Amino acid sequence: QLQLVESGGGLVQPGGSLRLSCAASGFTLNIATIGWFRQAPGKEREEISCISRSGGSTNYADSVKGRFTISKDNAKNTVYLQMDSLKPEDTAVYYCAANRFGTDCRSANINYWGKGTLVTVSA
């Protein structure tokens, strides 16, 4: 069974940092394009970041660029999202997702979704 499991969410103060993990099972991350998405209550899901199969190419949404960093450890079959300088507007459920057959992170091309982990940024 192919699965993605997120972890690392929780409560953090504004300006703080948090690292999310996405562990894959049933397939190897080095053959999939992986993206991080988030969805806040009442808002549409948005793509936050994307990393290529090799890890050599990354992309970020303007809202998080310069504050978030995506990376992967193929040996551990895990993708990470390091979040720094967190703001209250970063509060959302964060999902990792995989495009098994393509090289982009567009939602229409996502094959596998994790169940999400909640990040709450509040004083």
Side-chain angles (χ1 to χ4, degrees), residues 2-116:
L2 306 178
Q3 284 189 302
L4 295 170
V5 180
E6 304 94 336
S7 63
L11 176 65
V12 63
Q13 293 183 326
S17 297
L18 209 59
R19 188 178 77 160
L20 305 182
S21 298
C22 175
S25 62
F27 68 98
T28 54
L29 291 179
N30 64 357
I31 61 171
T33 303
I34 305 297
W36 281 98
F37 297 76
R38 69 184 182 187
Q39 186 167 25
K43 296 184 178 181
E44 295 183 347
R45 182 179 61 209
E46 62 175 330
E47 179 187 332
I48 299 303
S49 187
C50 187
I51 189 167
S52 65
R53 301 181 183 195
S54 67
S57 179
T58 59
N59 296 106
Y60 300 92
D62 289 341
S63 59
V64 305
K65 192 172 185 178
R67 299 188 298 119
F68 291 10
T69 304
I70 190 171
S71 63
K72 66 188 306 185
D73 186 338
N74 286 333
K76 294 184 177 180
N77 218 30
T78 300
V79 173
Y80 304 96
L81 184 68
Q82 177 66 44
M83 304 184 294
D84 298 320
S85 301
L86 285 163
K87 305 174 181 179
E89 51 263 45
D90 293 320
T91 297
V93 176
Y94 284 72
Y95 303 88
C96 64
N99 179 355
R100 173 65 177 80
F101 304 104
T103 58
D104 64 85
C105 290
R106 285 174 286 185
S107 294
N109 295 328
I110 293 298
N111 309 114
Y112 314 113
W113 291 92
K115 293 184 178 180

